[in-house]
Structure formats: C-alpha cells, structure tokens
Amino acid sequence: MSSLAAKQAEILRQDGNTCFKKDRFAAAIEAYTEAITLCPNVPVYWTNRALCHLKRNDWKRVEEDCRQAVVLDHHSVKGHYMLGLALLQRKEYAEGVKELEKALDLGRSANPKGYMVEEIWQELATARYLTWEHESTKRSWKLQNLREACMAALKQKQFLDTSDREGFVDETAKFDRDQIEALGRVFDKAAVDDTPTEVPDYLCCKITLDIFRDPVITPCGITYERAVILDHLVKVGKFDPITREPLYASQLIPNLAIKEAVRAYLEKHGWAYKTD
C-alpha cells in the first residue's frame, strides 16, 4: 500500500464520515467503498461502511463487512458488535450472543467506562433472553410431541394387554388411569423449566411495556426507558407522561436498582442457557 493511496483513502474516510453525520448514507457508503478499494486491509473502513448498512437495515451487508473487519482485526469491538446484531436479525441467536460477548469483553478491556460497553451490555442482555425464549419454545414443542407419542404408545400397549386381563376389568381400568396420570405428571414437571415466564411489570417501561435496558427515574419516582422518555420530552412536551408534572432531561437519574434487578432476572431466565 503506497503512502499516496493511504492518504487518498483517509480523505475518502473523512468524506464518508461527513456524509454519515448528515444521514447521507448512500454517499457515505460510496466514499468508504472507494477507501476500501484503495486500502482493503484497514478494518475501520469496513466497520464504517457496515454502520451505514446498519442504518439502512441492510443486515446482509452489515454481516459481510463485519466479518471482513474481524478477520483483519480480531480485536475490533465494533466489528464483533455489529456482526452480533446482524446474526440476531437472522435468528442465529447462539452465534449472535457469542459475538456480542466478544465485543463486550474487548470493550471492557479497551475502555471499561466507554459508551459502547453500556450499549453492548444492553443488547447482550436482551439477546440472551431472546435466546432462552427461542430455545425453550423449541424444547417445549419437542417435549409436547414426545408426550403425545408416549401417551399413544402407552394406550396402544394397554389396549393389547386388555385381552389378557378380561377378568379384572375394574383393576385394569384403574391401573391404566394411574399409568397415564403418572406419565402426564412426568411431562408436566419436565415442562416447568422451559415455560417462558412473564417479565414482572416493575422491570418493564410503562410506555413501551418492554423490559428495561437503560432505566431512569423521574423526581416523581416513576421509572422509564431513557430513550423513550427523552423522545417524549422532545416530541410531546416537557412533562411526565403519567403524572403530568413538569419534567426536564436534566432531572432524569439512572435507576441502578432496577438495572441490577433486570440483570439478575435475565441471568436467571436467560444466561443459564448460554451456549459455549
């Protein structure tokens, strides 16, 4: 790579950054693509272009660019992070979680208090819950199919055995019922751990009803998702949507207690099913 090509590529990167800040994503992609053509071994050009694709919800290209970025730089936080998000979009939950975990580990090593660490953690927490929910649903279907097959086999066996016990009709009927009920209890117990639980109301935003990622509390004592309440303050008005009391962004305080409760809840219901 010549120094001239490198300088031209950097100019193109800066042009791309300028376009990106103006939401001109197509122009930014074009600039980053030209930079990549000149210097294909620079990871940041690939992650910058991937971010543009992400803004346009072009997840296939996000994945392609991020895969190239992490090949060039195994320690690319943004590369692993956006690759994880792209994989989650394809419902590749286990692989997506692995990439987010890698991004989180790298981010904590590089800058423990950086904004990306918090952002990655929030996405990872949600991804882990989605992974558990997805996997538990699949196991529930398999368990139900197995239950039906076992019940059918048991009834078939009982039907074939009936002729051998014609003189003991009452005892046979009671024995049959006991076996079926016992089998049902076994499957009921097996299904308990894989039954998705309702997220407690206090762990959900009162506006979106979704589980908190970044909870903040107002002077009135009500907790909201930060992005949601900030959007409300900008687009609707400077007041609490529930109490209608005056409210300003500067008055919002992180609700660390709820955040920890969310973490504990997701660890109990989601992280236990993490794939190695």
Side-chain angles (χ1 to χ4, degrees):
M1 178 176 65
S2 69
S3 59
L4 178 59
K7 289 180 180 178
Q8 290 177 330
E10 272 301 295
I11 291 172
L12 287 164
R13 180 183 69 84
Q14 292 171 14
D15 289 344
N17 291 352
T18 300
C19 292
F20 181 86
K21 292 175 182 177
K22 296 179 180 179
D23 293 339
R24 296 174 55 207
F25 302 124
I29 289 172
E30 184 176 345
Y32 295 137
T33 300
E34 290 184 34
I36 289 170
T37 301
L38 289 171
C39 300
N41 294 326
V42 180
V44 70
Y45 299 162
W46 295 90
T47 53
N48 281 4
R49 191 171 72 172
L51 184 56
C52 293
H53 292 316
L54 185 151
K55 291 293 185 179
R56 303 174 80 183
N57 291 316
D58 191 343
W59 292 102
K60 181 180 179 180
R61 287 187 169 83
V62 171
E63 181 178 347
E64 291 171 351
D65 281 358
C66 287
R67 286 194 182 280
Q68 183 61 33
V70 298
V71 166
L72 294 171
D73 178 10
H74 300 305
H75 296 89
S76 173
V77 177
K78 289 183 178 180
H80 286 290
Y81 174 48
M82 288 187 288
L83 177 56
L85 296 181
L87 290 169
L88 292 175
Q89 289 292 320
R90 289 206 286 114
K91 296 188 177 357
E92 295 288 342
Y93 295 111
E95 292 303 314
V97 166
K98 283 183 180 180
E99 292 298 329
L100 292 179
E101 288 174 339
K102 180 69 173 177
L104 185 61
D105 289 341
L106 291 170
R108 282 174 170 166
S109 298
N111 186 5
K113 296 183 179 180
Y115 77 94
M116 279 205 69
V117 170
E118 183 66 19
E119 183 178 326
I120 295 167
W121 184 91
Q122 292 165 11
E123 293 291 348
L124 180 57
T126 301
R128 280 169 166 164
Y129 183 79
L130 290 174
T131 301
W132 169 77
E133 190 174 48
H134 176 71
E135 293 301 321
S136 66
T137 298
K138 288 199 302 185
R139 284 191 294 271
S140 294
W141 275 107
K142 290 180 180 179
L143 190 64
Q144 180 60 27
N145 290 336
L146 180 60
R147 177 179 189 149
E148 292 174 358
C150 289
M151 286 291 187
L154 179 59
K155 290 177 181 179
Q156 178 68 14
K157 180 179 181 301
Q158 291 172 347
F159 175 77
L160 295 176
D161 290 346
T162 300
S163 58
D164 297 332
R165 292 180 283 168
E166 291 181 351
F168 306 92
V169 177
D170 293 338
E171 291 80 358
T172 297
K174 182 178 184 302
F175 179 74
D176 291 348
R177 288 196 302 273
D178 289 345
Q179 279 192 320
I180 291 173
E181 290 175 0
L183 183 61
R185 286 194 296 272
V186 169
F187 278 99
D188 287 342
K189 184 175 181 181
V192 169
D193 289 338
D194 271 338
T195 302
T197 57
E198 289 292 329
V199 180
D201 289 342
Y202 71 92
L203 297 182
C204 298
C205 176
K206 297 184 182 302
I207 297 176
T208 66
L209 303 182
D210 289 333
I211 193 166
F212 282 118
R213 297 185 182 188
D214 186 13
V216 292
I217 191 168
T218 70
C220 295
I222 299 175
T223 299
Y224 298 100
E225 180 65 26
R226 183 189 296 275
V228 174
I229 189 63
L230 288 176
D231 189 60
H232 166 85
L233 295 177
V234 171
K235 296 180 179 179
V236 182
K238 301 295 192 294
F239 59 88
D240 188 306
I242 292 180
T243 66
R244 315 299 287 186
E245 292 291 324
L247 178 64
Y248 299 92
S250 59
Q251 295 176 288
L252 301 175
I253 300 174
N255 191 329
L256 301 181
I258 290 296
K259 186 171 183 177
E260 175 59 23
V262 168
R263 186 203 63 77
Y265 178 85
L266 291 172
E267 182 172 357
K268 178 179 179 181
H269 295 280
W271 296 4
Y273 292 93
K274 184 179 73 171
T275 302
D276 294 326

